[in-house]
């Protein structure tokens, strides 16, 4: 099997497993979490995933142009001739 | 000022907790953030990037995010050609002039300079009480590259807003038109002469590249101090994925008079398709008087690259909400299947070959320290100073063993300074 096919099979396998493993976890999500009144700390800016969005954008741009990997939390490619 | 700032912080937190803001979505007021990045590689590329980010609530709950970016780059960049034990004269990959490369040094193209402009606009609007839709467009242009992209996203809050699931997709259409035109893949650098006007015109026609992305995410509140986000992305690219400015050397064989010495350089060639995949886990936790941010990403693609990245930052607040943010990032990647340090003169030429150090096996490390200073309610200044380095070990092919006395991976040392000014308004 070629490397490309292997990667594709691996990707499908991964997505399938993630779906199967994710469904019970989603059920588990229903029992996790806190009441709205306990969300004071989580509402602070530094506790949100969007904190320092400009810095995240700079990071993505720098590492996209200097390393072979990208993506994960956002869009992986395109938009710059730097790589 | 300070009591106002802390009161305001407490009020924002209280309001957010009462209305129950989503774990993934910061419900903030209108804001602007202006940032400048100064990026300086030791003896190589220097770049300045300015970004203006604008968030505004428009009518009918529609939110606008506008991001304008300007980049200016100049300096030297490694071409991929091998260093030699002697001084060598090489033709620049963009054609024309020759440069003298001192003994033992990595050949670089120092004619490299470019400016890039980018505009991103995203509109978001609530779809019912717990869901949000986003629609965005982006454009960027530089002398040798143009890109146009569209993206769409959807998030849904569940479990009393303790869970947020997200799905987004993007499509990008890029056109590459290198300075000096395209040269045939695997052709010899500097060998082109006597071309007809038609041939020349064809060589300067832009080549296209299409990129498709899908990102899935799940953010979950674990307890009153901890939130976790799991995400994964798949990116497919097809079209012209070769770097038109990168070359690789053909070197003398093991039985020659000077094994490992470069004889000539050829333009690189990469496959026209690539599929990249990444999974990532990020956790935010309030601990020891600060907010810890820990993330891990695993990446794999069908070019044979595998990578791990670990990023740890800690936001420690002091009096008046002034905060320090120490940060460390560790990264390691394996080489692409077609990455070669060089090709030996005897033996067949591979179909795909690139000596680009970004496709080599290497490790990278980033250390940084940031500082956030609120100057008045709703306004803060931030400064981040970081050091980034890459170290690789690119062994020569077995046939040459230790005959190559110079380090084949071009070391990289970078200082990055970011300065930002953020302002909220109503």
């Amino acid at each position: 099997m070629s490397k490309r096919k292997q990667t594709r099979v691996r990707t499908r396998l991964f997505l399938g497993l993630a779906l199967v493993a994710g469904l019970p976890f989603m059920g588990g999500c229903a029992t996790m979490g806190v009441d709205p009144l306990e969300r004071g700390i989580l509402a602070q800016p530094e506790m949100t995933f969007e904190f320092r969005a400009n810095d995240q954008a700079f990071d993505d741009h720098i590492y996209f142009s200097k390393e072979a990997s990208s993506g994960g939390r956002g869009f992986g490619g395109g938009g710059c001739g730097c790589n | 000022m300070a009591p106002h700032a802390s009161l305001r912080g407490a009020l924002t937190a209280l309001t957010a907790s009462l209305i129950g803001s989503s774990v993934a979505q910061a419900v903030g007021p209108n804001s602007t953030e202006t940032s400048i990045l100064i990026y300086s590689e030791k003896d190589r590329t220097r770049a300045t990037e300015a970004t203006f980010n604008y968030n505004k609530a428009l009518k009918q709950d529609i939110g606008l995010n506008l991001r304008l970016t300007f980049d200016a780059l100049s300096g030297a960049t490694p071409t991929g050609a091998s260093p030699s034990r002697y001084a060598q004269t090489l033709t620049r990959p963009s054609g024309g002039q020759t440069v003298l490369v001192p003994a033992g040094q990595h050949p670089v193209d120092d004619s490299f300079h470019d400016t890039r402009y980018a505009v991103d606009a995203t509109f978001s609007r609530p779809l019912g009480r717990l869901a949000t839709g986003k629609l965005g467009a982006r454009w960027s242009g530089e002398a040798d590259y143009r890109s146009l992209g569209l993206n769409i996203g959807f998030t849904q809050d569940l479990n009393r807003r303790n869970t947020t699931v997200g799905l987004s997709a993007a499509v990008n259409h890029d056109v590459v038109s290198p300075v000096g035109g395209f040269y045939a893949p695997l052709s010899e650098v500097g060998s082109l002469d006597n071309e007809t006007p038609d041939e020349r015109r064809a060589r300067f026609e832009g080549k296209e590249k299409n990129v498709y992305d899908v990102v899935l995410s799940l953010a979950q509140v674990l307890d009153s101090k901890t939130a976790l986000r799991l995400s994964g992305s798949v990116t497919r690219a097809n079209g012209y994925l070769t770097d038109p400015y990168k070359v690789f050397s053909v070197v003398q064989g093991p039985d020659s008079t000077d094994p490992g010495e470069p004889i000539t350089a050829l333009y690189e060639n990469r496959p026209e398709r690539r599929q990249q995949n990444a999974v990532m886990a990020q956790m935010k936790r309030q601990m020891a008087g600060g907010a810890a941010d820990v993330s891990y990403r695993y990446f794999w693609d069908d070019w044979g690259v595998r990578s791990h990245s670990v990023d740890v930052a800690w936001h420690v607040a002091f009096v008046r909400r002034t905060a320090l943010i120490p940060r460390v990032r560790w990264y390691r990647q394996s080489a692409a299947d077609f990455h070669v340090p060089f090709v030996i003169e005897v033996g067949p030429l591979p179909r795909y070959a690139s000596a680009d150090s970004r496709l080599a096996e290497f490790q990278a490390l980033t250390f940084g320290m940031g500082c956030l200073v609120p100057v008045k309610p709703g306004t803060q200044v931030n400064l981040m100073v970081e050091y980034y380095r890459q170290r690789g070990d690119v062994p020569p092919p077995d046939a040459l063993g230790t005959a190559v006395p110079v380090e084949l991976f071009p070391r990289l040392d970078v200082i990055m300074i970011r300065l930002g000014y953020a302002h909220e308004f109503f």
Side-chain angles (χ1 to χ4, degrees), chain A residues 4 14 29 34-36 39 46 50 54-55 58-59 61 63 65-69 71-72 76 79 81-82, chain B residues 21 24 35 41 49 116 140 160 213 231 233 274 279 297 302 307 327 329 331 333 358 366 388 390 418:
Chain A
R4 185 181 295 273
F14 166 76
C29 288
V34 295
D35 286 333
R39 301 280 288 271
E46 64 269 21
E50 281 71 28
N54 269 20
D55 276 356
F58 277 147
D59 271 1
H61 189 176
Y63 298 126
S65 64
K66 290 289 151 191
E67 297 171 353
S69 321
C82 47
Chain B
S21 74
S35 308
E41 295 177 358
E49 180 170 321
R116 171 175 169 266
S140 80
R160 294 168 300 153
D213 293 282
S231 53
S233 66
R274 186 181 188 188
V279 283
R297 181 186 68 182
D302 57 1
S307 80
R327 183 222 179 157
R329 177 182 183 270
Y331 174 83
Q333 74 174 44
R358 295 172 297 182
T366 311
Y388 173 66
Q390 283 183 2
R418 315 167 194 209

Side-chain angles (χ1 to χ4, degrees), chain B residues 158-175:
Chain B
L158 304 162
N159 307 330
R160 294 168 300 153
R161 293 185 192 265
N162 281 301
T163 309
T164 303
V165 288
L167 173 67
S168 50
V171 52
N172 264 276
H173 175 72
D174 298 2
V175 179

Side-chain angles (χ1 to χ4, degrees), chain A residues 41-63:
Chain A
I41 289 174
L42 295 170
Q44 288 169 6
E46 64 269 21
M47 288 296 288
T48 62
F49 290 106
E50 281 71 28
F51 183 54
R52 292 163 56 228
N54 269 20
D55 276 356
Q56 287 191 18
F58 277 147
D59 271 1
D60 289 346
H61 189 176
I62 290 164
Y63 298 126

Side-chain angles (χ1 to χ4, degrees), chain B residues 64-93:
Chain B
L64 165 70
N65 173 254
L66 186 68
R67 182 188 291 271
L68 307 174
T69 309
F70 170 74
D71 275 329
L73 276 106
S74 65
T77 189
T79 62
S82 294
S84 158
R85 272 165 283 195
Y86 317 105
Q88 46 180 343
T89 307
L90 291 172
T91 306
R92 285 194 174 122

